[in-house]
Amino acid sequence: MEKIKMTTPLVEMDGDEMTRILWQMIKDELILPFVDLKTEYYDLGLPNRDRTNDQVTVDSARAACKYGVAVKCATITPNAQRMDEYHLHHMWKSPNGTIRSIMDGTVFRAPITIPSIRPVVRNWEKPITIARHAYGDVYKSVELKVDEPGTARLVFEGRSGRRQEVEIHEFEGSGVLQGMHNTDKSIRSFAHSCFKFAVDTRQDLWFATKDTISKTYDARFREIFEEVYEQDYKEQFARLGIEYFYTLIDDAVARVVRSKGGFIWACKNYDGDVMSDMLSTAFGSLAMMTSVLVSPDGNYEFEAAHGTVTRHYYRYLKGEETSTNPMATIFAWSGALRKRGELDGLPALVHFADRLEAACLDTLNAGIATKDLVGLMEGVEPRAVNSAGFIAAIRERIVL
Ligand code: NAP
Ligand code: MG
């Protein structure tokens, strides 16, 4: 069989622990036999990040901006314990944070759904994709605790010398205060990423804030989304028959629960933090959650939403078999290959990505699953296999 040819390289970001092991297995068993794989390889494993003073992370993100499509393995975000374990020179920042700030992107998370794993919310028939604005608000706020009567004010001093001031509260006793911000630039980038991804995946886009209460701050989010939509996406949306829908956050939550799914839900930073955990739990398993970072100018980085599965890795190091679920990591590869194929006009590569995903779903629908899924499956007689067995079963089912 002749292997499928690629033209532009995929940016490959390798990672750590159990997912690094799965990464190699996925490439060897599910990709290299079928695709004449062209990648620009960056080793984001913690030892190499330490060796390169984290330059490799920066370089990989720049490459993602240059080529437009990257696929990333889960990576360790160092903490005190990892400093000792890996004898690090420095507590390097989260690679995902570094990549996100260089690509200026928004993260979209979507569950892989199968008939035998029913979501907790019974009327959800299709996945719900959540997009979280990853800048500002309470995550970049300053706070004060006061313990006497006094006046709190919000002051802005413009470089022009112009001054704006409002009273926040006249305290009669002790209390707390918080100052937070966002920027038009960041909100606009977020909006572009969301509209782009909606066009890309042909799904409706929902957005919600609390602009009835926050008449300036949240209203600014609504205004910018509206502006970006009217200027750049309205016609494309109409052509594709998809909708942009704005409502209040509490109304959105109620509608999401009553919906059939199948749309993108754009959330402000805090709402996204809370709601993405709610959605991923309700859909079943973190191991089945995919994640893609989309930049406002249309660059993509695909990955699994879960981490490096450390507990399984320590068992693997002791020579024990593990049943770690590779689904989200395989879908990161298929997502990246499909996007590369679309951008480069390579239908065979797009077709391969479709067939690979279909083989994964066929395997699960036949009841062959990793241990994490066995307890969640209904209506099939599940058979638990280890990671290698699962990947082998997928390979048998790839029909080109
Ligand atoms: P984790 O790696 O997501 O794993 C947490 C637990 O979830 C696992 O112990 C396992 O439960 C289950 N799980 C997650 N993915 C699974 C899979 N594919 N198959 C089967 N079970 C799975 O989170 P963590 O243990 O909190 O973090 C480990 C490391 O990952 C940390 O160093 C963290 O910094 C990093 N991390 C990286 C990313 C990223 O690169 N995007 C994201 C999150 C965390 P059982 O042990 O009960 O089987
Ligand atoms: Mg959270």
Side-chain angles (χ1 to χ4, degrees):
M1 191 201 74
E2 214 184 304
K3 289 191 194 180
I4 297 158
K5 292 269 182 299
M6 292 177 65
T7 46
T8 317
L10 200 60
V11 178
E12 177 182 355
M13 303 168 171
D14 207 345
D16 290 298
E17 298 193 313
M18 203 58 219
T19 41
R20 188 180 179 97
I21 308 296
L22 293 177
W23 193 257
Q24 199 58 49
M25 290 164 70
I26 293 167
K27 277 174 69 177
D28 289 344
E29 296 297 318
L30 302 179
I31 304 195
L32 292 171
F34 306 96
V35 180
D36 196 359
L37 187 66
K38 239 181 151 170
T39 73
E40 197 165 290
Y41 179 84
Y42 294 87
D43 182 2
L44 267 54
L46 190 48
N48 195 46
R49 274 183 275 149
D50 195 49
R51 214 175 293 127
T52 62
N53 291 329
D54 209 26
Q55 186 61 36
V56 66
T57 308
V58 173
D59 292 345
S60 72
R62 292 200 178 128
C65 297
K66 175 177 167 194
Y67 293 113
V69 188
V71 57
K72 180 181 171 290
C73 179
T75 46
I76 293 168
T77 297
N79 55 17
Q81 182 240 319
R82 300 293 199 171
M83 295 284 292
D84 295 341
E85 185 183 355
Y86 283 83
H87 312 289
L88 301 179
H89 297 105
H90 183 79
M91 202 185 287
W92 307 109
K93 282 192 274 184
S94 147
N96 286 54
T98 302
I99 295 166
R100 194 166 58 215
S101 68
I102 292 173
M103 292 179 70
D104 184 26
T106 295
V107 174
F108 295 82
R109 281 178 159 211
I112 303 161
T113 55
I114 52 169
S116 60
I117 301 181
R118 298 276 312 275
V120 174
V121 180
R122 292 285 145 150
N123 44 280
W124 287 351
E125 291 168 7
K126 291 181 186 164
I128 296 169
T129 302
I130 197 157
R132 171 181 172 189
H133 184 210
Y135 177 82
D137 301 353
V138 70
Y139 302 86
K140 276 232 186 299
S141 67
V142 289
E143 307 188 326
L144 274 183
K145 190 168 178 292
V146 295
D147 48 19
E148 60 170 324
T151 312
R153 293 196 184 84
L154 189 61
V155 179
F156 173 76
E157 287 168 347
R159 295 228 177 102
S160 67
R162 191 172 150 240
R163 198 183 151 89
Q164 286 173 269
E165 184 175 324
V166 287
E167 183 178 316
I168 298 170
H169 188 65
E170 183 68 44
F171 282 90
E172 297 304 334
S174 57
V176 284
L177 278 159
Q178 184 179 64
M180 61 181 194
H181 79 282
N182 223 299
T183 65
D184 283 8
K185 181 170 181 279
S186 175
I187 301 167
R188 191 162 286 119
S189 288
F190 176 50
H192 275 290
S193 296
C194 291
F195 287 117
K196 276 220 165 65
F197 197 66
V199 167
D200 241 34
T201 58
R202 287 172 171 61
Q203 295 184 90
D204 291 346
L205 177 68
W206 295 19
F207 182 48
T209 73
K210 193 71 183 178
D211 63 313
T212 43
I213 300 297
S214 172
K215 292 189 167 71
T216 304
Y217 196 105
D218 276 19
R220 192 69 193 127
F221 281 78
R222 188 201 64 226
E223 286 160 13
I224 291 174
F225 264 70
E226 191 64 39
E227 231 173 78
V228 169
Y229 174 64
E230 290 289 332
Q231 274 173 23
D232 293 325
Y233 299 96
K234 197 176 182 173
E235 279 150 34
Q236 284 185 72
F237 268 54
R239 220 177 310 125
L240 295 172
I242 56 176
E243 248 185 48
Y244 168 56
F245 173 60
Y246 176 85
T247 186
L248 287 171
I249 184 67
D250 34 359
D251 180 50
V253 171
R255 283 173 190 260
V256 164
V257 172
R258 271 189 267 107
S259 76
K260 289 189 159 60
F263 54 88
I264 299 164
W265 185 13
C267 287
K268 286 183 64 200
N269 209 346
Y270 177 83
D271 300 335
D273 186 353
V274 177
M275 291 304 161
S276 66
D277 281 5
M278 188 271 282
L279 283 185
S280 65
T281 308
F283 270 108
S285 165
L286 185 59
M288 296 282 274
M289 188 60 80
T290 65
S291 176
V292 53
L293 177 70
V294 181
S295 78
D297 46 352
N299 299 318
Y300 295 76
E301 180 247 305
F302 293 85
E303 62 179 317
H306 60 75
T308 59
V309 210
T310 310
R311 292 211 317 174
H312 294 209
Y313 183 59
Y314 291 158
R315 266 183 261 145
Y316 168 88
L317 288 180
K318 281 194 246 156
E320 294 171 29
E321 269 190 3
T322 71
S323 181
T324 316
N325 189 339
M327 283 289 290
T329 306
I330 298 172
F331 273 59
W333 274 99
S334 58
L337 290 170
R338 178 184 296 109
K339 179 50 76 182
R340 195 67 274 165
E342 285 168 5
L343 292 174
D344 295 351
L346 302 171
L349 197 57
V350 175
H351 179 73
F352 172 73
D354 293 343
R355 299 321 301 163
L356 175 56
E357 289 179 4
C360 290
L361 298 176
D362 287 350
T363 305
L364 289 175
N365 290 335
I368 302 168
T370 46
K371 274 186 192 151
D372 56 304
L373 297 184
V374 165
L376 300 171
M377 290 172 114
E378 294 170 310
V380 289
E381 198 56 61
R383 182 158 67 83
V385 290
N386 61 27
S387 303
F390 185 66
I391 288 172
I394 294 169
R395 179 165 175 177
E396 279 169 24
R397 287 169 175 77
I398 297 178
V399 191
L400 291 181

